[in-house]
């Protein structure tokens, strides 16, 4: 391979530096995946066995892409390179050796919903008031403890004196007992138990150290404490560890990410070679200079500066609107103009700090007839019907999974109530057996009485299907299950509006099973359930779907778009008020890294928007323009921002930029307000779930042949703006645009269907 023609000088250095610890600081859009791929290929070309190479990523999508790229370059032998996520790597190791920790190798993997169900049962058993100590808080504390490698005993010693944390410590202990009894692990356990295995069994650790002589870790800035320890143990024998990441894109502290892992790498490995990848292949110079200027305000970082040879490009655009509704309308209108000028919907993303911001944006897109997807909706595998079928498969595969068994024991309806379930569980607890085993012994549970006979069909169904598991193909087993329990008939009997969609989802689950059987080396039910459990949400984004994407800034990491809009650029929204008032400086620095990530998603066009007022928690609030906007050098912005912007007091000037030191200001333009509905100050208009925006508009287009009750020159009344005179009426694709001069509020442009004007 003539890599000098494929890579820039710093990328080449990163590929060729194969021995010893290496820290690759890869800025946004600097081609880190390309470097990792060619590094693996170069190792093989230099005579390293593919069997001795490990590459760890964070998502299944990233792992799949890397596998494909390595295969394209290396060809035969590439399949022996271990390329996988942290969790799937640990699951694979534990499937082979977890019996040395006292577990069966067919352990179940509990997802978030499973964990929540167990926590709910544990809290009830311990008489914990979940209104006071929420299940979500308990789950978060336990997860954080596991990420920090803190077991129940250590957690109790550290925090037991605090009433709330002491109660959580009790939950933690009981939760672990439940998992152990069910032969189950949660996601955090996959890493924690693997590290425990390595530390307890030197033979296992030495075996993997001998195999993985060269280790590459992607997105190292997102690793937590237990992930750091997992990698450190594996690399301890040969020290050929290469970590790739960008501390400026460390935005997952809330998930346990420890930025110190990347910042302190050179202290852990003093002999480490550090290589900076600063040439960006994604964005124009103006976008990169804005990102560099914003992130430079952070002190806790490795100094680097992105650059590109793509030219200056457009200046950034900042727009200040009157309200969140006007902001959303402006963005939708600007997208219409962009599409009219040749943009594809798939080229466009709207980013925001919190999910709550999406509602106004969605309504505005609907009004303009623009297609969109909201990234981060209900995960396919979290849907009710999918959880039901997966619980059947889990019970067939691992009868010790109490949670799965209890979920389906009365689905479809068998007349088995909550009281019977409680009696079965009590019997299981008293006799040290699983819930399923207790159900199999229902005739011995005297307290069940006649209800014991209702368990027989369920138990027989599971027994028969367990016997067929391994004899039938997985697809045939699935079909046999569906025919036996008549689940589709059960859904139809429920007579819900989305029955057809739920049945289609089950068909899609079967498609997934077929694909698994076709691609797995040795397809098993355990393997399929493990693959399902490890699927990441972001893997669901369809690159071929020609729609605008709406998503939080966190969800946007790793993606790029020609047009990017970042909404809600106000102090109090982004960054949040809690971040601003926090005494911990690291909080505001993480928010600034999030702004850096958002800015660097844009290839050519970046628009930042803010609102003078925004409704939060039912109250209209006013915030200053975000400090992240004010930190952008003024010449990089298309317009000028005055020191006092339409009621926003004391807005600091942006930092001076360039050698001239000239003070250029940015002035927000006042756009015509587009009213999106009748809203009182404390009650925003909400679209009814049972009606589309289009149907609401049609109903509002009056009784006289689809026209309006009023015309140009008529006096009309509005619930918020009072009385006014109609100046203009324009027919649109779905509704009329009405321009009204209100006596007190001035001129407004609004859609008739939402304005609900009344002729006076």
């Amino acid at each position: 391979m003539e890599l000098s023609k494929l890579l820039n000088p710093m990328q080449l250095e990163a590929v060729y530096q194969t021995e010893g610890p290496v820290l690759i600081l890869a800025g946004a859009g600097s081609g880190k995946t390309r470097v990792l791929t060619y590094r693996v290929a170069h190792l093989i070309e230099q005579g390293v066995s593919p069997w001795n190479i490990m590459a760890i990523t964070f998502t299944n999508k990233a792992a799949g892409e890397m596998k494909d790229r390595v295969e394209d370059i290396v060809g035969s032998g590439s399949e022996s390179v271990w390329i996988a996520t942290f969790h799937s790597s640990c699951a694979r190791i534990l499937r082979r050796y977890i019996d040395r920790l006292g577990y069966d190798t067919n352990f179940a993997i509990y997802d978030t919903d499973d964990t929540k169900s167990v926590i709910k049962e544990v809290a009830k058993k311990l008489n914990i008031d979940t209104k006071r100590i929420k299940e979500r808080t308990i789950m978060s504390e336990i997860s954080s403890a596991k990420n920090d490698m803190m077991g129940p005993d250590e957690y109790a010693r550290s925090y037991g004196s605090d009433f709330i944390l002491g109660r959580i410590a009790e939950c933690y202990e009981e939760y672990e007992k439940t998992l152990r009894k069910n032969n189950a692990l949660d996601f955090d356990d996959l890493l924690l138990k693997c590290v425990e295995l390595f530390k307890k069994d030197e033979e296992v650790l030495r075996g993997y150290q001998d195999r993985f002589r060269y280790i590459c870790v992607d997105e190292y800035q997102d690793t937590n404490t237990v992930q750091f320890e997992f990698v450190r143990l594996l690399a301890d024998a040969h020290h050929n560890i290469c970590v790739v990441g960008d501390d400026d894109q460390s935005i997952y502290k809330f998930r346990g990410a420890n930025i110190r892992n990347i910042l302190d790498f050179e202290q852990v490995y003093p002999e480490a070679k550090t290589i900076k990848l600063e040439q960006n292949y994604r964005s124009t110079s103006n976008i990169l200079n804005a990102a560099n200027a914003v992130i430079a305000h952070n002190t806790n970082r490795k100094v680097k500066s992105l650059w590109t040879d793509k030219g200056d490009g457009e200046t950034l655009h900042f727009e200040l609107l009157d309200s969140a509704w006007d902001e959303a309308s402006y963005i939708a209108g600007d997208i219409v103009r962009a599409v009219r000028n040749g943009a594809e919907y798939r080229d466009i993303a709207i980013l925001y700090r919190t999910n709550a911001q999406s509602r106004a944006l969605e309504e505005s897109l609907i009004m303009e007839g623009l297609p969109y997807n909201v990234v981060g909706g209900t995960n396919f595998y979290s849907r009710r019907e999918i959880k039901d079928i997966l619980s059947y498969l889990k019970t067939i595969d691992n009868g010790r999974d109490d949670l799965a068994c209890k979920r389906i024991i009365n689905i479809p309806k068998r007349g088995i109530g909550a009281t019977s379930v409680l009696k079965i569980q009590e019997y299981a607890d008293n006799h040290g057996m699983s819930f399923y085993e207790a159900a199999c012994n229902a005739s011995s549970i005297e307290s069940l009485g006649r209800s014991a006979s209702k368990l027989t069909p369920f138990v027989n169904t599971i027994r028969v299907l367990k016997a067929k598991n391994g004899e039938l193909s997985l697809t045939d087993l699935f079909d046999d299950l569906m025919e036996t329990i008549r689940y589709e008939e059960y859904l139809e009997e429920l007579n819900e509006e989305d029955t057809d969609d739920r049945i289609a989802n089950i068909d899609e689950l079967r498609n997934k099973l077929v694909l698994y059987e076709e691609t797995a080396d040795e397809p098993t039910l355990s393997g399929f359930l493990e693959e399902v459990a490890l699927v990441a949400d972001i893997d669901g984004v369809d690159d071929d779907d020609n729609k605008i994407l709406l998503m939080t800034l966190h969800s946007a990491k790793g993606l790029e778009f020609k047009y990017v809009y970042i909404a809600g650029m106000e102090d109090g929204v982004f960054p949040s008020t809690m971040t601003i008032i926090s005494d911990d400086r690291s909080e505001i620095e993480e928010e600034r890294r999030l702004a850096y990530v958002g800015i660097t998603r844009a290839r050519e066009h970046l628009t930042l928007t803010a609102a003078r007022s925004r409704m939060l928690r039912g109250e209209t609030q006013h915030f200053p323009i975000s400090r992240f906007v004010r930190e952008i050098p003024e010449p990089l912005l298309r317009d000028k921002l005055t020191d006092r912007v339409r009621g926003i007091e004391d807005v600091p000037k942006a930092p001076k930029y360039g050698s001239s030191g000239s003070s250029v200001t940015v002035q927000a333009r006042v756009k015509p307000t587009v009213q999106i509905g009748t809203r009182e100050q404390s009650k925003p208009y909400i679209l009814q779930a049972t009606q589309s925006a289009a149907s609401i508009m049609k109903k509002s287009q009056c009784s006289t042949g689809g026209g309006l009750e009023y015309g140009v020159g008529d006096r009309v009344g509005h619930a918020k703006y009072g009385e006014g005179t109609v100046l203009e009426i324009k027919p649109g694709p779905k509704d009329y645009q009405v321009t009204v001069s209100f006596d007190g509020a001035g001129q407004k442009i609004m859609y008739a269907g939402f304005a609900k004007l009344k002729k006076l």
Side-chain angles (χ1 to χ4, degrees):
M1 290 184 297
E2 266 194 85
L3 292 180
S4 60
K5 295 182 180 179
L6 301 170
L7 305 172
N8 67 42
M10 299 310 294
Q11 290 175 330
L12 273 175
E13 184 178 357
V15 167
Y16 288 149
Q17 185 66 45
T18 58
E19 304 303 309
V22 181
L23 170 61
I24 302 176
L25 294 172
S30 62
K32 69 178 179 64
T33 304
R34 187 179 183 84
V35 168
L36 275 174
T37 303
Y38 278 106
R39 182 182 172 85
V40 170
H42 178 68
L43 284 169
I44 296 172
E45 190 177 64
Q46 295 301 303
V48 176
S49 170
W51 179 259
N52 296 136
I53 302 172
M54 179 187 219
I56 306 177
T57 68
F58 266 82
T59 68
N60 295 308
K61 183 178 181 180
E65 288 176 354
M66 188 177 295
K67 285 179 182 178
D68 291 341
R69 292 192 188 190
V70 171
E71 184 178 359
D72 288 342
I73 298 170
V74 176
S76 179
S78 64
E79 68 278 359
S80 297
V81 180
W82 183 300
I83 302 175
T85 65
F86 274 103
H87 288 95
S88 58
S89 293
C90 291
R92 188 170 165 186
I93 292 168
L94 292 173
R95 285 291 178 203
R96 185 172 181 184
Y97 291 113
I98 199 172
D99 57 330
R100 302 193 182 196
L101 297 178
Y103 289 80
D104 290 344
T105 54
N106 68 333
F107 58 85
I109 300 174
Y110 279 7
D111 62 15
T112 303
D113 287 344
D114 297 330
T115 296
K116 186 175 181 179
S117 296
V118 174
I119 291 296
K120 186 179 292 186
E121 289 185 2
V122 167
K124 185 176 181 180
K125 182 177 182 179
L126 297 176
N127 295 317
I128 290 175
D129 183 3
T130 53
K131 292 182 179 179
R132 183 175 183 184
I133 308 176
K134 296 187 180 300
E135 294 152 1
R136 190 187 323 161
T137 302
I138 299 171
M139 291 169 63
S140 177
E141 275 296 308
I142 293 175
S143 179
S144 295
K146 290 187 176 185
N147 287 336
D148 290 336
M149 298 190 296
M150 184 182 291
D153 293 342
E154 185 181 353
Y155 186 89
R157 287 194 300 270
S158 300
Y159 305 113
S161 58
D162 179 274
F163 174 76
I164 290 179
L165 296 181
R167 298 247 63 192
I168 291 176
E170 295 176 43
C171 278
Y172 189 4
E173 182 179 7
E174 192 64 31
Y175 172 70
E176 288 299 286
K177 288 179 181 177
T178 303
L179 289 183
R180 189 65 180 251
K181 183 172 71 71
N182 289 355
N183 195 44
L185 304 179
D186 61 25
F187 279 120
D188 297 317
D189 282 330
L190 293 175
L191 285 146
L192 191 61
K193 294 300 178 184
C194 206
V195 168
E196 182 183 332
L197 173 66
F198 285 166
K199 290 184 173 181
K200 180 178 180 179
D201 198 308
E202 191 174 339
E203 179 188 0
V204 174
L205 175 60
R206 280 202 311 268
Y208 282 106
Q209 285 177 337
D210 187 56
R211 174 175 179 180
F212 301 131
R213 294 170 179 254
Y214 293 86
I215 300 172
C216 296
V217 185
D218 194 12
E219 304 287 6
Y220 193 65
Q221 77 280 348
D222 294 333
T223 55
N224 58 34
T225 301
V226 69
Q227 287 165 337
F228 164 81
E229 188 66 7
F230 170 75
V231 172
R232 186 194 66 78
L233 288 168
L234 284 176
D236 208 33
H238 301 285
H239 277 217
N240 293 326
I241 176 172
C242 171
V243 300
V244 184
D246 182 5
D247 53 298
D248 289 335
Q249 296 187 73
S250 180
I251 59 173
Y252 294 121
K253 182 180 178 181
F254 69 97
R255 292 182 185 170
N258 185 354
I259 194 174
R260 300 310 317 179
N261 289 349
I262 191 167
L263 293 179
D264 297 342
F265 184 82
E266 292 140 311
Q267 296 180 28
V268 177
Y269 299 100
E271 73 277 26
K273 172 74 173 178
T274 300
I275 301 167
K276 296 181 181 181
L277 305 182
E278 297 171 294
Q279 183 175 358
N280 176 283
Y281 293 91
R282 174 188 301 158
S283 307
T284 59
S285 287
N286 283 333
I287 292 171
L288 296 181
N289 288 338
N292 288 333
V294 171
I295 201 64
H297 286 76
N298 276 4
T299 57
N300 199 25
R301 64 184 291 260
K302 303 274 189 183
V303 177
K304 55 189 158 314
S305 184
L306 297 178
W307 62 274
T308 185
D309 57 10
K310 294 184 69 173
D312 291 341
E314 286 187 1
T315 50
L316 281 65
H317 184 53
F318 172 69
E319 190 76 20
L320 178 65
L321 289 309
D322 284 337
S323 69
W325 302 95
D326 298 321
E327 175 189 50
S329 181
Y330 168 78
I331 290 174
D334 202 55
I335 290 173
V336 169
R337 287 188 287 274
V339 171
R340 192 182 299 131
N341 291 328
E344 293 278 345
Y345 294 123
R346 64 168 60 90
D347 294 336
I348 302 168
I350 306 174
L351 313 180
Y352 36 80
R353 181 63 183 86
T354 64
N355 281 309
Q357 292 171 251
S358 72
R359 182 167 63 88
L361 293 164
E362 288 188 65
E363 290 183 12
S364 292
L365 295 177
I366 290 170
M367 289 172 61
E368 294 287 357
L370 300 173
Y372 70 91
N373 274 335
V374 179
V375 176
T378 303
N379 183 282
F380 178 82
Y381 296 105
S382 296
R383 295 170 186 168
R384 187 182 73 206
E385 63 279 7
I386 301 303
K387 293 282 286 185
D388 287 346
I389 302 306
L390 288 177
S391 292
Y392 266 103
L393 295 176
K394 287 178 181 179
T395 304
I396 294 166
D397 181 58
N398 175 14
R400 292 175 60 184
D401 188 344
D402 290 0
L403 199 63
C405 190
K406 281 189 278 191
R407 179 184 180 92
I408 58 170
I409 196 167
N410 200 42
I411 295 177
K413 300 292 185 183
R414 300 183 177 92
I416 303 170
T419 302
S420 296
V421 170
L422 183 62
K423 291 175 181 178
I424 298 167
Q425 185 63 63
E426 288 176 351
Y427 184 87
D429 291 341
N430 292 336
H431 291 79
M433 60 178 61
S434 70
F435 183 88
Y436 172 72
E437 288 172 329
C440 291
N441 289 280
S443 59
S444 301
I445 306 176
E446 295 181 0
S447 59
L448 281 176
R450 295 180 180 178
S451 296
S453 61
K454 297 178 181 178
L455 292 167
T456 302
F458 171 76
V459 169
N460 287 343
T461 294
I462 301 300
R463 279 176 172 163
V464 170
L465 292 170
K466 274 181 173 289
K468 293 180 178 180
N469 184 22
E471 297 179 1
L472 297 177
S473 71
L474 295 182
T475 308
D476 289 341
L477 182 68
F478 181 95
D479 292 342
D480 200 343
L481 167 66
M482 296 302 296
E483 184 177 346
T484 301
I485 65 174
R486 300 184 179 279
Y487 188 81
E488 291 186 11
E489 293 180 20
Y490 160 70
L491 290 179
E492 290 169 351
E493 288 171 2
L494 293 177
N495 196 29
E496 296 175 335
E497 290 183 2
D498 58 354
T499 296
D500 290 342
D501 290 338
R502 294 187 182 280
I503 292 174
N505 289 337
I506 293 172
D507 291 339
E508 186 59 28
L509 180 63
R510 188 181 186 279
N511 293 342
K512 169 70 177 176
L513 190 58
V514 171
L515 181 62
Y516 168 76
E517 281 198 290
E518 290 176 350
T519 56
D521 293 333
E522 295 181 8
T524 63
L525 186 53
S526 295
F528 171 72
L529 293 170
E530 180 178 313
E531 183 169 304
V532 164
L534 295 172
V535 170
D537 286 354
I538 196 63
D539 292 353
V541 175
D542 184 356
D543 294 333
D544 295 327
D545 199 0
N546 190 22
K547 295 181 180 180
I548 301 159
L549 289 185
L550 278 67
M551 69 187 83
T552 64
L553 286 149
H554 282 98
S555 297
K557 186 172 178 290
L559 304 176
E560 61 180 78
F561 305 89
K562 187 175 181 180
Y563 298 81
V564 169
Y565 297 83
I566 306 181
M569 296 299 293
E570 304 126 46
D571 269 7
V573 177
F574 184 38
S576 68
T577 300
M578 293 301 294
T579 302
I580 293 170
I581 66 177
S582 173
D583 293 331
D584 186 355
R585 181 178 173 82
S586 69
E587 297 290 333
I588 197 70
E589 293 211 346
E590 175 137 344
E591 288 285 284
R592 188 173 282 109
R593 291 194 293 270
L594 192 56
Y596 174 85
V597 167
I599 292 170
T600 54
R601 297 312 93 194
R603 294 201 298 267
E604 298 179 20
H605 309 274
L606 176 62
T607 299
L608 310 173
T609 61
R612 292 187 179 89
S613 66
R614 189 176 298 274
M615 188 164 285
L616 297 175
R617 293 174 291 277
E619 296 181 359
T620 299
Q621 301 185 27
H622 303 268
F623 299 107
I625 295 169
S626 172
R627 65 196 62 201
F628 303 146
V629 174
R630 292 179 263 137
E631 289 168 358
I632 296 173
E634 293 171 337
L636 298 179
L637 291 166
R638 184 184 310 171
D639 305 302
K640 297 180 180 180
L641 193 78
T642 58
D643 292 340
R644 300 165 70 85
V645 185
R646 297 282 296 175
I648 304 294
E649 300 292 332
D650 301 323
V651 180
K653 292 180 180 178
K656 290 185 177 181
Y657 179 75
S659 57
S660 66
S662 60
S663 178
V664 182
T665 57
V666 179
Q667 171 152 4
R669 289 175 293 158
V670 179
K671 304 292 286 185
T673 301
V674 178
Q675 175 71 13
I676 313 178
T678 304
R679 309 186 299 277
E680 297 173 354
Q681 189 172 13
S682 62
K683 187 186 294 182
Y685 180 80
I686 301 175
L687 281 175
Q688 297 298 319
T690 57
Q691 294 178 305
S692 69
S695 67
I696 293 175
M697 292 172 189
K698 287 178 180 177
K699 289 179 182 178
S700 72
Q701 292 173 10
C702 218
S703 56
T704 57
L708 298 172
E709 293 177 343
Y710 46 83
V712 174
D714 285 343
R715 295 285 290 172
V716 293
H718 185 274
K720 178 179 178 181
Y721 297 120
E723 296 182 2
T725 302
V726 178
L727 300 181
E728 186 179 22
I729 299 175
K730 288 183 178 179
K734 293 183 179 178
D735 197 6
Y736 293 98
Q737 280 190 351
V738 184
T739 302
V740 181
S741 177
F742 289 101
D743 298 344
Q747 185 172 304
K748 304 289 182 184
I749 300 174
M750 55 193 71
Y751 284 92
F754 288 93
K756 296 188 167 113
L757 298 169
K758 298 294 184 183
K759 183 177 179 180
L760 300 178

